Amino acid sequence: MSGVLVSGLLLLSGCSSLPSSGPTESHIIKVQKDPKQNAMGFGIVQISADLLTLLASESPTPLSSLDRVTDRATGNDMIGPGDTIQISIYELGNSLFGGGGSNASGTSMASALSGETSSSQSTGTILSGGTSGQDAHGGSATATLSNLPPLNVSATGTVMVPYVGTLNVAGRTVDQAATMVREALARKSQSPQVIVRIVQGVTNSAIVYGDVKRSGRVLLTPAHERIMDVIALALGTSHPPEDSIIQLTRGDRVVRVAMSVPENDPSQNITIHPGDRVEVIYKPRTFTVFGAAGKVSEVPFTVPELSLAEAIARVGGPLDERADPNGIFLLRYEDNDIVRRLGLPVAPGKPSTPIVYQIDMMNPGNYFLGQHFVMRDKDMLYFSNAKANEFYKLFGLISTIIQPGITAGYMAH
């Protein structure tokens, strides 16, 4: 019996593959240095005050970078194909469009649409752009308002205006279109004043969709709506801004930022341009925990900003009987610009490189660093196994084997 026990103990003591929840600190460092085992090419970086300064300097592509990108006219009062416009005309004295004026008496609708007029036009002096209450002969006159039926701008950018004919209004502002109509009517009506407005816009609009309460087209006005304005016009989102991503597409450029960025930074709450597409994406932030922790788990942030120290505390920290407090690792994909500044090689042909950040929680000063190290979405925390853990596992197995023999010997006596 004793020979069997001795043989079993020798076998266990020489075993190098005892059950484990993950690698130890020394094993992770060993793998990182071995190119054959480190197929991902990850580097290990100690968390320090200098590292925090470097990471704080990193910022995503700002929304403000799109301010210089314009793939079309940006005026929110610009007319384009598909728009519907309303033309209002004020006239002094007899109204051309009311049908009672001398200018209209000999003019057929066909000639009005073609821009022709009768030979019985008044030859009096026309007040160009004025708002006088006198007629051409110095007498008092009453201004008459005529609202033309809504006009749809054709695919070629034209509208047909009675007594004017066909006008190409695409690419012009409402004020420019009003000037065109007024100048065309100047010799046909007494001191015409013209107002043009867009009643249904396609050109001056942006599309808002995704995780908003009312997706669709948002009409932009001369007030120059900003990105948070159009999201509010879409009735907003029901999720926290920290867990919502704004994706703004302008031309061939796409920028994605957390909604909290333009909400908290006015310089990033940029003006929306006609044709912009704004997608709101609900993307709850989480981090995962592995190794010598209570259990492998995925943990939501639930707060606007989460530090490494808070993340460790939230999962109960490393287990005292299993974990190595010297070997707490955080794994993430880091932007190659940061990786180069860390002096590490970058992954070829890829925008990011896997990095393993290590913090030694046996050093009291590192607790302060952990309070300022900001967690990111999809970070992974790993609590490495303590080297002594292998001894305790071996001791447990030995106890399991020899306990029946000890008990049998005690019973025999």
Side-chain angles (χ1 to χ4, degrees), residues 325-400:
N326 295 289
I328 297 180
F329 298 92
L330 184 141
L331 295 75
R332 73 164 54 144
Y333 279 89
E334 199 68 82
D335 184 86
N336 281 346
D337 179 59
I338 293 293
V339 177
R340 292 188 185 95
R341 293 167 68 182
L342 288 171
L344 297 174
V346 300
K350 297 180 180 179
S352 58
T353 300
I355 293 295
V356 177
Y357 294 112
Q358 181 179 6
I359 187 167
D360 178 6
M361 299 306 286
M362 291 299 290
N363 182 347
N366 286 344
Y367 283 82
F368 295 100
L369 296 178
Q371 288 181 314
H372 296 282
F373 189 98
V374 179
M375 297 287 290
R376 295 184 190 166
D377 184 32
K378 300 300 179 287
D379 276 352
M380 293 181 288
L381 267 179
Y382 175 72
F383 302 144
S384 65
N385 283 310
K387 295 178 182 178
N389 191 34
E390 300 298 327
F391 168 77
Y392 289 123
K393 289 184 177 180
L394 177 61
F395 182 79
L397 288 173
I398 293 174
S399 299
T400 302

Side-chain angles (χ1 to χ4, degrees), residues 284-332:
R285 299 161 301 146
T286 61
F287 67 94
T288 48
V289 182
F290 299 92
K295 65 176 181 178
V296 174
S297 57
E298 182 181 37
V299 185
F301 277 39
T302 69
V303 291
E305 188 172 280
L306 185 70
S307 70
L308 174 59
E310 291 169 329
I312 293 173
R314 184 169 295 188
V315 298
L319 295 178
D320 291 341
E321 68 275 13
R322 288 173 46 194
D324 179 5
N326 295 289
I328 297 180
F329 298 92
L330 184 141
L331 295 75
R332 73 164 54 144

Side-chain angles (χ1 to χ4, degrees), residues 174-228:
V174 291
D175 289 341
Q176 291 171 336
T179 299
M180 293 172 64
V181 175
R182 179 175 57 80
E183 291 177 347
L185 293 173
R187 296 183 60 83
K188 304 174 185 179
S189 177
Q190 184 175 338
S191 189
Q193 301 298 303
V194 181
I195 297 175
V196 176
R197 62 188 182 92
I198 301 172
V199 294
Q200 185 173 352
V202 175
T203 303
N204 301 313
S205 65
I207 302 296
V208 184
Y209 61 105
D211 186 41
V212 291
K213 296 176 182 177
R214 186 175 66 188
S215 299
R217 190 181 298 277
V218 174
L219 178 64
L220 304 177
T221 71
H224 301 288
E225 288 78 7
R226 297 180 179 273
I227 193 165
M228 296 306 295

